[in-house]
Amino acid sequence: MVLSGNGVSMVKETFIQEDFLLENQYAKKLYFDYAKDLPIIDYHCHLPPDQIATNHQFDNLTQIWLDGDHYKWRAMRTNGVSETFITGDATDWKKFDKWAATLPYTLRNPLFHWSQLELKRYFSIDQFLNPQTARLIYDQCQAKLAQSDFAVRGLLEKMNVEVICTTDDPIDDLRCHQQLQKEGYQIKVLPAFRPDKAILINTIIFNDYLQKLGVVADQDISSFTDLKAALTQRANYFHQNGCRLSDHGLERLYFEKYTDGEIERILQKRLHGKLVSPVESAKYQTAILQFLGQLYHEKGWTQQFHLGALRNNNTRMMRLLGPDTGFDSIGDFSQARSLAQFLDSLDQTDQLAKTILYNLNPADNEVMATMIGNFNDGSVTGKIQYGSSWWFLDQLDGMEKQMNALSNMGLISQFVGMLTDSRSFLSYPRHEYFRRLLCNLFGRDMAKGHLPKDMNWVGKIVQDICYHNAKKYFDFSSSMTFGG
């Protein structure tokens, strides 16, 4: 390795080689013979469906790689980069140049692996991104992004993506999903239902949001009955347009006993402009999520709960930039008891839908890995899932710990595997990253004699986790769209 005068590496070739993350012959055979070429089912992401519908063409790496990526923004701020070059009015090139100066300092952060892997898989760039190579890499990628096969759809097809589930608000019209269906686009792009704005009752936008929901549902919302009717109407519309999953991003699941009268009084209080108490909020959230859970079960959907994020912690930056700009962190909320009570309240009447639980606090790994076993009833293989490592845990150590917890306390063989949870069209190599780690985990145990050296059987389990379990669990073949 050669260093420049300021200590920044000038090494020219990337470390992403054929055996990246694969430590022995068993891991390599599992990856290359069983996992590598399987299609991708991305059952949870935040890709903008309009950019898929219009086959958007990005002008340069900054637009496709840095814009909206709060992972990179956090790293750049930590590395002393001014906000001007992150979310400010600096040119695209200057923003990229600052990122190139930051990347060498991300050693052991997942961004270091992801960034080089993405450059290699999409653009065939083996060079290490740093200040000395930045201009060349930027120009090479800009030239490729101008080619027709580097528009959004080409990028998805390059990664062998089979299904994408976007994350959509109940008020969305889903016209982009409808357009893609009418075109017969080869990749199935389906909506997922995320009604959190109707659940988080004390947000400043709550009343305005219910008005918008009422308009699209053609339902005046002046009572809890009205709200349930509006959400049901929108869920029906989503179902007609191929939706088979819901998603919720919450600090925790609450379970508070309530009466119908209490919920009506709580909602009326909020509709009249008053904030509700923490206990009232918990009762409201319990009631509306129970209603939604029953609705999801009726429709045969899978419900997802992303739990444990402490969001928008920096008030000054929240005022300047708004939410989802890189000022969230892991929260330390109590999860187990109320989560068990909530799931049990649905299971008691056999109305618990297929469920995926994701935790952001690694202290909850074993909580989630054991929680799912409480409600697996044999009706569906792996009915309740411990979801893939999420957000801050979506990295080498976090993925291995999640897979170890699931292996030790459940059946990793029935795991539905990886998702991107990303807003970037360059994130699909994360599936490769996951598959390499998965194969290395099994290969390591085979080398130690902890697992049989039965390559066909272990290979089948690997293939199931990477692809077949998700294909069977979600059954997207039933997600035929009708245009609403």
Side-chain angles (χ1 to χ4, degrees), residues 18 22 42 117 119 123 174 182 279 332 371 399 405 469:
E18 187 178 70
L22 304 173
D42 192 15
L117 194 59
L119 286 174
F123 302 101
L174 306 183
K182 289 175 182 176
V279 172
D332 56 351
M371 185 65 67
M399 288 185 189
N469 286 347

Side-chain angles (χ1 to χ4, degrees), residues 426-439:
L426 296 186
S427 289
Y428 281 99
R430 294 183 194 180
H431 281 261
E432 175 186 339
Y433 197 78
F434 168 84
R435 291 174 181 184
R436 286 176 178 269
L437 287 174
L438 175 70
C439 292

Side-chain angles (χ1 to χ4, degrees), residues 16-38 117 120-121 432 435-440 455 459 462-463 466:
I16 306 290
Q17 301 301 321
E18 187 178 70
D19 60 354
F20 178 58
L21 301 179
L22 304 173
E23 298 173 356
N24 59 48
Q25 60 177 329
Y26 302 105
K28 293 174 188 177
K29 188 167 182 62
L30 286 171
Y31 178 69
F32 289 108
D33 291 358
Y34 293 91
K36 178 177 178 290
D37 296 323
L38 290 169
L117 194 59
K120 183 157 185 161
R121 293 297 175 250
E432 175 186 339
R435 291 174 181 184
R436 286 176 178 269
L437 287 174
L438 175 70
C439 292
N440 195 60
M455 193 59 67
V462 164
Q463 288 185 323
C466 292

Side-chain angles (χ1 to χ4, degrees), residues 145-390:
L145 286 168
Q147 299 172 13
S148 59
D149 60 333
F150 277 80
V152 159
R153 297 190 191 183
L155 295 171
L156 296 173
E157 292 156 18
K158 203 181 294 285
M159 291 295 110
N160 197 20
V161 179
E162 183 176 286
V163 178
I164 294 171
C165 293
T166 58
T167 302
D168 308 277
D169 193 280
I171 69 173
D172 290 346
D173 60 19
L174 306 183
R175 57 185 174 81
C176 295
H177 299 84
Q178 294 168 4
Q179 176 188 326
L180 289 162
Q181 173 65 18
K182 289 175 182 176
E183 286 181 18
Y185 181 48
Q186 66 189 68
I187 296 174
K188 192 182 289 287
V189 182
L190 303 172
F193 191 74
R194 188 164 187 166
D196 289 356
K197 291 176 183 175
I199 295 169
L200 301 174
I201 191 170
N202 266 339
T203 61
I204 60 174
I205 66 167
F206 180 78
N207 286 353
D208 288 341
Y209 178 76
L210 291 198
Q211 288 184 347
K212 294 176 182 177
L213 177 63
V215 170
V216 297
D218 194 24
Q219 170 75 55
D220 177 61
I221 300 177
S222 57
S223 68
F224 192 57
T225 299
D226 294 338
L227 176 55
K228 291 190 290 185
L231 288 169
T232 300
Q233 193 275 343
R234 296 311 293 167
N236 291 339
Y237 180 76
F238 269 58
H239 192 85
Q240 290 168 353
N241 283 278
C243 177
R244 296 296 181 268
L245 293 95
S246 66
D247 179 59
H248 301 280
L250 305 169
E251 292 181 349
R252 51 173 291 200
L253 283 178
Y254 292 92
F255 186 81
E256 292 285 343
K257 293 183 178 180
Y258 62 87
T259 65
D260 292 343
E262 282 182 301
I263 300 305
E264 189 60 56
R265 286 192 294 273
I266 291 166
L267 181 59
Q268 291 303 321
K269 180 178 178 180
R270 189 69 187 94
L271 289 175
H272 285 84
K274 297 179 181 179
L275 295 179
V276 303
S277 71
V279 172
E280 289 173 325
S281 176
K283 289 186 176 186
Y284 171 80
Q285 288 192 44
T286 302
I288 195 166
L289 280 168
Q290 281 185 322
F291 160 73
L292 287 169
Q294 293 165 353
L295 183 62
Y296 302 152
H297 178 267
E298 178 186 326
K299 294 188 169 303
W301 289 7
T302 298
Q303 58 183 357
Q304 301 175 92
F305 295 103
H306 288 81
L307 305 173
L310 188 64
R311 300 176 188 269
N312 306 316
N313 298 289
N314 189 318
T315 303
R316 177 171 61 88
M317 298 306 288
M318 175 68 176
R319 288 171 180 159
L320 285 172
L321 303 176
D324 303 321
T325 50
F327 300 96
D328 310 311
S329 64
I330 292 171
D332 56 351
F333 309 102
S334 176
Q335 300 286 359
R337 184 173 297 278
S338 58
L339 174 58
Q341 290 174 320
F342 173 77
L343 296 175
D344 186 57
S345 71
L346 294 169
D347 188 72
Q348 284 184 39
T349 55
D350 197 18
Q351 291 177 292
L352 179 58
K354 290 185 290 187
T355 303
I356 307 178
L357 303 175
Y358 307 85
N359 62 291
L360 195 56
N361 190 334
D364 295 325
N365 282 6
E366 285 74 17
V367 169
M368 298 300 174
T370 55
M371 185 65 67
I372 64 174
N374 296 332
F375 301 100
N376 273 317
D377 57 8
S379 61
V380 176
T381 302
K383 176 181 175 180
I384 313 299
Q385 291 275 330
Y386 176 22
S388 181
S389 295
W390 168 51

Side-chain angles (χ1 to χ4, degrees), residues 110-123:
L111 288 167
F112 190 73
H113 284 169
W114 292 346
S115 297
Q116 293 298 150
L117 194 59
E118 289 162 9
L119 286 174
K120 183 157 185 161
R121 293 297 175 250
Y122 288 99
F123 302 101

